[in-house]
Amino acid sequence: MDAPDGPPALRYAVVIPSRGRREMLLTALESVYAQTLPPDQVVVVLDGDTDSSAAAVRDAFPDTTLIIHETSLGPARSRQDGFKAVTTEWVCLLDDDDIWHSRKQEHFAEYLREHPSCAALRSAFWQFSELGAATELNGFKSEISGLARRPELERAARLAVPLNDFTYLQIRGKSLPALLRKNAGVTSSTMFRRELLTLVEDIPDDLRTGQDWLLFVYIAVHVEWHLVPGRWFFYRVHAGQITTDSSFPKWQHRLRAWSLAWQNAGRPAGLRIADYADEYAGEVHRWFWEAVRQGRMRESVHIFTGGSAFVESRLLRLSILMPPPVRWRMRPFLNRLREDS
């Protein structure tokens, strides 16, 4: 039993996939081992050890469980292999380039004490940019700049001005339909009961992006996602993120993730893909015009063809082909179309 005035009990493991980010990984691990409510297990999956990360982890954090792939098998397979090593009641996710606040798990445990039926939860975050990195990413603005160590970030967060609106993360009671419309998940603050992994569909090993969102969707089939008040990790903006990686066609992986989400979650729940067409059309429009601007005309045709499978409305399909300024001016009309439908 918990001590009356002590911290609540919480048996949890942390799974961190990593590849070629030794210094960031060590910083992420420091933030895990600095928790006021320590972990029972820390599992690092090295998707190919390209920079002697294994030796560095063993030297600095010898209690860490290391799983090493001889060759890269991708982030989805790495996380799945990490899950298989977990023996605790709860599983936490952390990306190797992000940093936990030292009181993150303490606050999560307190939330669970007040909401004992909760099985999946996450929190918002502070976004920070490395020196020379962008100050905005995926529509979020960086609120802290230049710092990259947990103690410094925690001190800066006390005075930082919040610049991002995280109300979209409040999806409890409507988790599945909300997630199918928009990624309302936050990977590095996610925690869920391990037993859920026995209920959800497998994530394909070769899915390079969208795999986290797909896991969140699958979990939402079985339980509601809760949002812990506060911002309990630091999201790093840097040059090597997968969101800025153009070495593979991300749109193909996103379309595949959409297809799997509807096949295994949306349609079985009786939801209609037509109700989400406006959101999907906006995403496809962005991918389409990015390909056009880069002169990848054949690829733009494939994007339009593949994306149209998720956009039943002819007018919304046509809006994908509109140049961004034109489509922006058409938004009031497209919004009315959505509301009427």
Side-chain angles (χ1 to χ4, degrees):
M1 296 181 60
D2 301 343
D5 299 319
L10 180 66
R11 293 197 65 246
Y12 70 94
V14 189
V15 176
I16 310 174
S18 185
R19 177 176 171 82
R21 292 177 176 172
R22 179 179 59 195
E23 296 309 314
M24 290 185 189
L25 173 61
L26 293 175
T27 301
L29 283 168
E30 186 279 333
S31 75
V32 171
Y33 284 103
Q35 289 299 298
T36 55
L37 194 60
D40 291 87
Q41 270 186 291
V42 181
V43 181
V44 169
V45 184
L46 294 178
D47 194 32
D49 188 2
T50 61
D51 59 357
S52 301
S53 288
V57 170
R58 289 191 184 105
D59 182 55
F61 305 102
D63 292 335
T64 301
T65 298
L66 271 172
I67 300 172
I68 304 173
H69 295 161
E70 291 188 9
T71 59
S72 177
L73 301 177
R77 174 64 179 276
S78 296
R79 187 161 284 132
Q80 294 293 328
D81 286 349
F83 290 161
K84 293 174 184 176
V86 170
T87 60
T88 56
E89 180 183 7
W90 291 90
V91 184
C92 296
L93 307 184
L94 176 58
D95 287 338
D96 62 357
D97 51 352
D98 293 333
I99 300 169
W100 277 0
H101 190 288
S102 60
R103 297 184 64 198
K104 173 189 178 291
Q105 290 301 95
E106 176 187 337
H107 282 271
F108 275 47
E110 289 172 355
Y111 184 89
L112 288 173
R113 183 155 56 183
E114 297 172 3
H115 303 83
S117 64
C118 174
L121 60 164
R122 64 271 192 283
S123 75
F125 55 88
W126 292 100
Q127 181 164 298
F128 74 99
S129 293
E130 289 186 339
L131 288 173
T135 57
E136 187 170 340
L137 185 68
N138 297 330
F140 293 103
K141 297 178 180 179
S142 293
E143 298 142 315
I144 302 172
S145 299
L147 305 177
R149 298 293 175 183
R150 178 193 53 77
E152 298 171 338
L153 290 167
E154 290 183 10
R155 286 193 291 270
R158 298 190 193 110
L159 301 175
V161 177
L163 300 177
N164 300 308
D165 182 4
F166 291 109
T167 55
Y168 77 97
L169 294 174
Q170 195 62 265
I171 60 174
R172 183 181 171 190
K174 54 181 180 179
S175 293
L176 180 57
L179 276 164
L180 285 170
R181 177 170 294 281
K182 180 179 181 178
N183 187 357
V186 191
T187 303
S188 286
S189 63
T190 288
M191 186 170 81
F192 55 86
R193 291 191 182 275
R194 181 168 61 95
E195 63 190 22
L196 289 169
L197 293 172
T198 65
L199 304 176
V200 302
E201 302 288 334
D202 290 335
I203 307 296
D205 288 350
D206 59 347
L207 198 61
R208 289 286 303 278
T209 185
Q211 74 273 5
D212 294 341
W213 169 76
L214 191 56
L215 176 63
F216 302 151
V217 168
Y218 286 167
I219 288 176
V221 171
H222 303 281
V223 299
E224 292 291 332
W225 283 97
H226 289 233
L227 181 65
V228 177
R231 303 181 180 206
W232 296 113
F233 82 95
F234 300 93
Y235 181 88
R236 184 197 304 257
V237 179
H238 60 94
Q241 283 160 312
I242 194 168
T243 51
T244 59
D245 184 358
S246 59
S247 63
F248 68 97
K250 290 188 286 293
W251 63 270
Q252 289 184 1
H253 295 257
R254 296 283 180 84
L255 289 179
R256 188 177 177 202
W258 288 358
S259 180
L260 289 168
W262 279 96
Q263 173 186 324
N264 296 316
R267 290 194 182 96
L271 300 174
R272 299 190 323 138
I273 198 169
D275 295 334
Y276 298 78
D278 59 323
E279 188 74 27
Y280 294 152
E283 283 288 289
V284 176
H285 176 267
R286 181 170 60 83
W287 302 334
F288 176 86
W289 281 99
E290 182 180 343
V292 169
R293 283 192 293 268
Q294 295 180 7
R296 307 194 314 267
M297 304 309 296
R298 181 176 295 181
E299 185 174 345
S300 69
V301 173
H302 291 315
I303 292 171
F304 178 78
T305 303
S308 293
F310 299 89
V311 183
E312 297 179 2
S313 165
R314 291 183 179 179
L315 184 56
L316 281 175
R317 286 185 182 181
L318 178 62
S319 76
I320 295 171
L321 303 175
M322 296 177 183
V326 176
R327 194 175 193 273
W328 178 262
R329 288 196 293 270
M330 288 286 290
R331 285 183 70 195
F333 176 75
L334 294 174
N335 288 338
R336 284 197 301 273
L337 175 68
R338 180 188 66 190
E339 293 167 1
D340 292 343
S341 63

